């Protein structure tokens, strides 16, 4: 059961992601659903997304958790929004008639923000992307890319996120703004995480500049960056990379300091304290399952980390006592045997002695491998020598193969034979004589 303080947790975020996270918790975490519903209703009434408000109220009524929606408030918001849209459309039309690019860009951004607040995310992306034709500086292009990626993340359009991150990264001037570049790193990391590419996600998150802090809390918090980056690194980095890119990384360490539990379990994994590391992961699991981006990957990440720990434990040894190994991983021998059998089926070179409870590593016979390499080298030498001898004989007899001449060259049959050289003519003559 999650022991998280929901109100404290959700106050890390702003904008649409705050509501989406509350709705996610309402749907997936039963013990927090009542509090999540209360907070979500309050948050929805701060904005202008009346469609989402009415839909959520209908869900609550179906579960007998709330009274009917506040139609007076919803109607008032809709009327105000209609007037605002009419004004924005009028201003955009005027700007287009006057052919003022900067005014058109600003009006399109306002329309994008309007549709974003109303919950019409596809139309918001459409308006933000239209500003591309009106961008007159690198800063404008970066702003356009960040607006599109922010909305696309909420929409779950990860291809669009990656596309616009790539566009922004091609902008040389954008690299000068560390916070904006950090936002792009986070967006790219989320896209990789959504695709289950933990190695790529880890690289992006650990490259995020700590100056970002909570400056991107309309998408993620600084704590999230530490958790996402730390877990993805555990699931994908080898031992040396974990040390150099995570533990000794001064920049990412600033994020890890915000979540000491993740920092310590990474250190325990590196120090081969697997029981402590895996126990800490289990304690974090319930809190991780409430995360909107991480929930669907938690089981896969956990299984991958455990498998990497098992492989790392047995790699230095020719044989391992399963009783001691089970104790190190805080599990039973039968359960450990099943896990090891799965790893062996997946390609790990080992075998299990179930009677004596020992795991034996299947190591290649180095003596046999050496003999095989020597024999292969000898064969290659013989082939190369034979080829050289053959070439020398051909040079000695002046034997060569040339391209056939064209008919109009005027060369008769005797001329063609003359090109073959005396050596070959001599051999042909000998063959002709022997043929008689």
């Amino acid at each position: 059961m999650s022991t998280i303080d929901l109100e404290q947790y959700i106050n890390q975020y702003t904008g649409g992601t705050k509501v989406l996270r509350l709705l996610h918790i309402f749907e997936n975490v039963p013990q927090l659903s009542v509090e999540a519903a209360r907070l979500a209703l309050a948050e929805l009434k701060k904005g202008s997304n009346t469609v989402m408000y009415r839909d959520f109220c209908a869900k609550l009524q179906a579960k007998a958790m709330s009274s009917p929606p506040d139609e007076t408030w919803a109607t008032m918001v809709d009327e105000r929004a209609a007037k605002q849209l009419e004004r924005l459309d009028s201003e955009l039309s005027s700007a287009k008639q006057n052919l003022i690019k900067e005014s058109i860009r600003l009006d399109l951004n306002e329309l994008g923000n309007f549709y974003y607040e109303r919950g019409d995310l596809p139309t918001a992306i459409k308006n933000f992307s239209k500003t591309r034709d009106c961008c007159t500086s690198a800063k404008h292009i970066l702003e356009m890319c960040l607006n599109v990626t922010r909305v696309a993340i909420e929409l779950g359009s990860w291809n669009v996120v990656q596309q616009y991150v790539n566009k922004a990264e091609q902008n040389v001037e954008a690299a000068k703004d560390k916070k904006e570049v950090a936002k792009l790193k986070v967006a790219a990391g989320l896209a990789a995480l959504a695709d289950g590419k933990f190695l790529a996600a880890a690289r992006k998150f650990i490259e995020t500049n700590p100056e970002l802090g909570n400056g991107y809390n309309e998408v993620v918090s600084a704590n999230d960056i530490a958790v996402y980056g730390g877990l993805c690194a555990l699931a994908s980095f080898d031992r040396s990379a974990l040390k150099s890119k995570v533990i000794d990384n001064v920049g990412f360490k600033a994020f890890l300091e915000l979540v000491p539990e993740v920092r310590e379990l990474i250190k325990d994994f590196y120090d081969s304290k697997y029981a402590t590391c895996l126990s800490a992961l289990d304690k974090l699991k319930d809190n991780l399952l409430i995360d909107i981006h991480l929930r669907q990957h938690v089981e896969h990440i956990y299984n991958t980390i455990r498998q990497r720990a098992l492989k790392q434990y047995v790699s230095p040894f020719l044989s391992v006592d399963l009783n001691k190994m089970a104790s190190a991983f805080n599990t039973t021998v039968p359960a450990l045997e099943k896990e090891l059998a799965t790893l062996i089926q997946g390609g790990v070179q080992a075998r299990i002695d179930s009677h004596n409870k020992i795991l034996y590593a299947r190591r290649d016979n180095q003596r046999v491998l050496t003999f095989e390499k020597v024999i292969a080298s000898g064969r290659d030498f013989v082939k190369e020598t034979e080829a050289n001898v053959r070439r020398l004989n051909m040079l000695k007899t002046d034997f060569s193969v040339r391209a056939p001449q064209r008919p109009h060259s005027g060369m008769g049959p005797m001329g063609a034979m003359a090109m073959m050289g005396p050596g070959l003519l001599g051999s042909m003559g000998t063959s002709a004589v022997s043929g008689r």
Side-chain angles (χ1 to χ4, degrees):
M1 178 181 292
S2 177
T3 57
I4 197 169
D5 182 335
L6 183 57
E7 192 162 357
Q8 181 181 353
Y9 165 78
I10 208 63
N11 283 335
Q12 298 178 97
Y13 308 100
T14 60
T17 192
K18 187 173 185 178
V19 176
L20 291 177
R21 286 172 183 270
L22 285 169
L23 297 181
H24 170 79
I25 293 168
F26 171 77
E27 295 285 352
N28 297 287
V29 189
Q31 65 267 29
L32 295 175
S33 61
V34 174
E35 188 178 3
R38 177 180 63 81
L39 293 171
L41 279 174
E43 199 62 33
L44 281 167
K45 292 194 74 173
K46 292 178 183 178
S48 59
N49 191 346
T50 53
V51 174
M52 183 180 285
Y53 172 75
R54 289 188 174 101
D55 288 345
F56 185 55
C57 286
K59 287 182 181 180
L60 293 177
Q61 282 186 288
K63 295 184 178 183
M65 293 177 64
S66 177
S67 55
D70 185 348
E71 282 298 337
T72 303
W73 169 83
T75 302
M76 180 186 68
V77 170
D78 287 342
E79 290 174 353
R80 186 169 64 237
K83 292 178 182 178
Q84 184 182 1
L85 179 59
E86 184 178 354
R87 177 181 62 80
L88 291 173
D89 283 336
S90 175
E91 290 176 357
L92 179 60
S93 297
S94 176
K96 286 181 177 179
Q97 287 175 2
N98 295 324
L99 300 176
I100 305 173
K101 279 193 172 184
E102 181 60 11
S103 296
I104 295 172
R105 189 184 71 83
L106 292 174
D107 289 337
L108 285 170
N109 276 335
E110 281 196 57
L111 272 171
N113 286 321
F114 169 82
Y115 284 113
Y116 172 74
E117 293 293 336
R118 291 288 285 168
D120 189 350
L121 302 186
T123 307
I125 287 181
K126 184 178 178 181
N127 280 279
F128 283 134
S129 61
K130 281 181 179 179
T131 63
R132 176 66 183 87
D133 297 330
C134 303
C135 291
T136 56
S137 69
K139 186 177 179 180
H140 292 165
I141 294 173
L142 181 60
E143 181 185 358
M144 179 269 295
C145 292
L146 286 171
N147 282 333
V148 173
T149 54
R150 170 171 57 92
V151 182
I153 286 170
E154 291 189 18
L155 199 57
S157 299
W158 300 110
N159 289 335
V160 175
V161 172
Q162 192 59 60
Q163 177 187 348
Y164 277 85
V165 166
N166 292 339
K167 281 185 180 181
E169 288 178 341
Q170 291 169 6
N171 186 348
V172 178
E173 292 296 320
K176 296 179 181 178
D177 193 325
K178 293 181 179 179
K179 288 188 177 181
E180 302 303 291
V181 171
K183 290 179 181 180
L184 295 173
K185 296 287 185 186
V186 172
L190 289 174
L193 176 60
D195 288 340
K197 299 174 181 176
F198 302 135
L199 178 59
R203 287 173 176 165
K204 292 298 181 182
F205 288 125
I206 65 176
E207 289 171 3
T208 302
N209 195 306
E211 289 184 19
L212 178 63
N214 278 316
Y216 203 29
N217 59 1
E218 65 270 29
V219 176
V220 297
S221 67
N223 290 26
D224 291 336
I225 296 172
V227 173
Y228 299 162
L231 293 183
C232 288
L234 281 177
S236 56
F237 284 176
D238 59 27
R239 185 178 173 82
S240 61
L242 196 65
K243 174 69 172 172
S244 61
K245 296 181 179 179
V246 180
I247 297 175
D248 293 339
N249 186 330
V250 177
F252 191 64
K253 192 180 291 185
F255 288 111
L256 288 176
E257 292 298 327
L258 301 173
V259 192
E261 302 93 333
V262 175
R263 180 195 64 204
E264 291 303 315
L265 68 85
I266 291 173
K267 188 174 183 300
D268 287 337
F269 187 92
Y270 179 78
D271 292 338
S272 301
K273 298 177 182 178
Y274 301 116
T276 307
C277 172
L278 296 174
S279 176
L281 274 173
D282 287 337
K283 290 178 182 178
L284 283 176
K285 191 171 185 178
D286 287 337
N287 289 344
L288 297 178
L289 287 171
I290 74 173
D291 187 272
I292 194 169
H293 297 296
L294 203 58
R295 179 181 177 85
Q296 61 179 327
H297 303 290
V298 168
E299 291 297 335
H300 188 189
I301 289 174
Y302 269 49
N303 290 336
T304 304
I305 292 173
R306 187 173 181 86
Q307 288 176 2
R308 292 181 72 86
L310 291 169
K311 291 177 183 178
Q312 189 169 298
Y313 183 92
V314 303
S315 60
F317 307 110
L318 289 173
S319 62
V320 178
D321 186 326
L322 293 185
N323 291 296
K324 292 181 180 179
M325 188 174 179
S327 176
F329 281 86
N330 196 25
T331 187
T332 63
V333 173
L336 180 61
E337 285 188 35
K338 289 181 180 179
E339 288 187 88
L340 292 173
T342 302
L343 289 178
I344 291 170
Q345 290 174 356
V348 173
Q349 296 298 309
R351 62 184 179 86
I352 301 172
D353 183 346
S354 294
H355 178 71
N356 295 312
K357 303 303 178 187
I358 296 176
L359 177 74
Y360 291 101
R362 289 180 179 174
R363 300 290 171 86
D364 294 325
N365 189 318
Q366 295 300 320
R367 185 176 179 182
V368 172
L369 287 176
T370 302
F371 277 122
E372 288 177 350
K373 287 180 181 178
V374 170
I375 291 170
S377 297
R379 287 172 180 165
D380 291 341
F381 176 76
V382 170
K383 286 181 181 179
E384 187 176 347
T385 303
E386 289 177 347
N388 287 332
V389 170
R390 192 177 301 113
R391 183 172 180 273
L392 287 171
N393 287 335
M394 293 172 69
L395 291 172
K396 185 177 179 181
T397 58
D398 196 23
F399 177 83
S400 61
V401 178
R402 298 175 182 172
Q405 296 295 321
R406 294 181 180 178
H408 65 268
S409 64
M411 184 178 292
M414 293 306 293
M417 292 179 67
M419 288 182 63
M420 296 181 183
L424 185 57
L425 284 172
S427 63
M428 289 176 64
T430 306
S431 299
V433 170
S434 61
R436 291 171 188 170

